[in-house]
C-alpha cells in the first residue's frame, strides 16, 4: 500500500489525513444519529401516558429532559406550557435549533472533505505532470517507458482524491437526509404535544 502511495509525493499526506478524518466522522455519525438514541418512540408514548394519567411532575420532567434530544425538546415545551401556546412553541423551536445544530455536527467538515480532496488530487497530478515535462526537456522523448511511468505516477493523486471524495459525498448526503427525517419526526411529536396541552387533541389508548 505504501509503495503504491509513495509515488504521489507530499500531496498524498493531506489526502490520507482527509480519508482518516472522513472515516472517523462517518463512524461517529452512524453511532450518534441512531433513531433509538435521538428520538425513540417509547419516549413520546411514555409522555402521553404520564399526561393522560396526570402523573407528570417535576421529577419526570427532569427525567424526560435528560433522556435524549427529543425529550429535551418536549421538556422545554412543557416547562413553558403555562405561559401560553406561543411561548410554548417558541421554547420548543429554540431548543430544537440547538438539537439540530448538534445533529449536524461534523457534517460540514465531511462535505468539505468531499469537495477538497479531488482538488488536492488534481493539484498533485499537475505537479507530477510539471515534473514529467521538466524531465522531457532534459532527456528528450527517447525514453517512452520513463515518460509513461511518470504520467502514471502523476495520476495516482487524482485517483486517491476521488477515492476519498466519492464515499465522503455519498455519506454526507446520507447523513443530511437522516437528520431531516429525524427533525420531521421530532416536529410531529412537538406539534402533538402543543395540541394536547392546550386541549386541541385527545390522547387515545394508542397514544395521540
Amino acid at each position: 500500500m505504501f509503495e503504491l502511495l509513495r509515488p504521489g509525493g507530499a500531496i498524498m499526506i493531506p489526502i490520507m489525513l482527509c480519508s482518516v478524518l472522513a472515516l472517523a466522522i462517518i463512524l461517529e455519525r452512524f453511532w450518534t444519529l441512531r433513531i433509538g438514541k435521538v428520538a425513540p418512540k417509547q419516549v413520546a408514548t411514555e409522555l402521553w401516558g404520564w399526561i393522560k394519567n396526570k402523573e407528570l411532575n417535576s421529577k419526570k420532567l427532569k427525567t424526560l429532559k435528560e433522556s435524549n434530544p427529543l425529550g429535551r425538546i418536549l421538556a422545554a415545551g412543557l416547562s413553558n406550557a403555562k405561559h401560553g401556546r406561543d411561548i410554548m412553541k417558541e421554547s420548543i423551536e429554540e431548543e430544537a435549533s440547538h438539537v439540530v445544530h448538534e445533529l449536524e455536527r461534523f457534517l460540514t467538515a465531511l462535505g468539505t472533505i468531499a469537495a477538497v480532496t479531488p482538488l488536492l488530487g488534481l493539484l498533485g497530478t499537475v505537479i507530477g505532470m510539471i515534473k514529467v515535462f521538466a524531465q522531457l526537456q532534459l532527456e528528450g522523448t527517447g525514453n517512452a517507458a520513463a515518460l509513461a511511468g511518470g504520467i502514471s505516477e502523476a495520476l495516482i493523486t487524482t485517483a486517491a482524491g476521488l477515492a476519498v471524495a466519492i464515499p465522503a459525498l455519498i455519506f454526507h448526503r446520507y447523513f443530511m437526509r437522516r437528520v431531516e427525517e429525524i427533525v420531521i419526526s421530532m416536529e410531529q411529536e412537538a406539534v402533538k404535544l402543543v395540541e394536547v396541552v392546550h386541549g386541541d387533541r385527545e390522547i387515545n389508548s394508542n397514544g395521540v
Side-chain angles (χ1 to χ4, degrees), residues 43-67 71 73-82 88 193-194 196-197 203:
V43 169
T45 303
E46 193 173 36
L47 175 60
W48 306 137
W50 291 343
I51 295 175
K52 184 178 182 179
N53 300 320
K54 301 186 185 305
E55 296 174 343
L56 188 61
N57 52 38
S58 58
K59 184 178 179 181
K60 288 183 177 178
L61 194 61
K62 184 180 178 183
T63 302
L64 178 67
K65 184 177 181 179
E66 296 174 349
S67 59
I73 293 173
L74 298 178
L78 288 169
S79 299
N80 294 280
K82 60 186 177 184
M88 183 179 182
L193 177 65
V194 173
V196 167
V197 169
I203 302 176

Side-chain angles (χ1 to χ4, degrees), residues 57-207:
N57 52 38
S58 58
K59 184 178 179 181
K60 288 183 177 178
L61 194 61
K62 184 180 178 183
T63 302
L64 178 67
K65 184 177 181 179
E66 296 174 349
S67 59
N68 49 63
L70 174 60
R72 280 171 52 195
I73 293 173
L74 298 178
L78 288 169
S79 299
N80 294 280
K82 60 186 177 184
H83 301 299
R85 179 190 290 265
D86 291 339
I87 298 297
M88 183 179 182
K89 290 175 68 175
E90 285 178 10
S91 61
I92 288 174
E93 290 171 356
E94 183 179 351
E95 189 62 36
S97 67
H98 293 296
V99 170
V100 171
H101 180 71
E102 292 174 4
L103 295 178
E104 292 179 345
R105 184 182 298 168
F106 304 132
L107 294 187
T108 299
L110 188 60
T112 302
I113 289 172
V116 165
T117 45
L119 298 179
L120 287 172
L122 183 60
L123 176 61
T125 296
V126 171
I127 293 173
M129 292 301 292
I130 291 172
K131 292 179 180 176
V132 169
F133 284 115
Q135 190 174 3
L136 270 177
Q137 279 186 323
L138 294 175
E139 300 181 6
T141 57
N143 192 348
L147 178 63
I151 294 173
S152 174
E153 290 178 2
L155 291 174
I156 287 176
T157 55
T158 295
L162 291 174
V164 176
I166 292 171
L169 179 61
I170 291 172
F171 281 107
H172 177 262
R173 296 276 177 88
Y174 171 77
F175 287 129
M176 290 301 291
R177 177 62 181 166
R178 178 177 282 197
V179 169
E180 288 178 6
E181 292 175 350
I182 292 172
V183 170
I184 289 172
S185 173
M186 291 193 296
E187 282 180 353
Q188 291 173 341
E189 296 299 335
V191 169
K192 290 178 186 176
L193 177 65
V194 173
E195 293 177 348
V196 167
V197 169
H198 291 89
D200 298 331
R201 183 187 286 234
E202 295 292 332
I203 302 176
N204 56 37
S205 57
N206 296 323

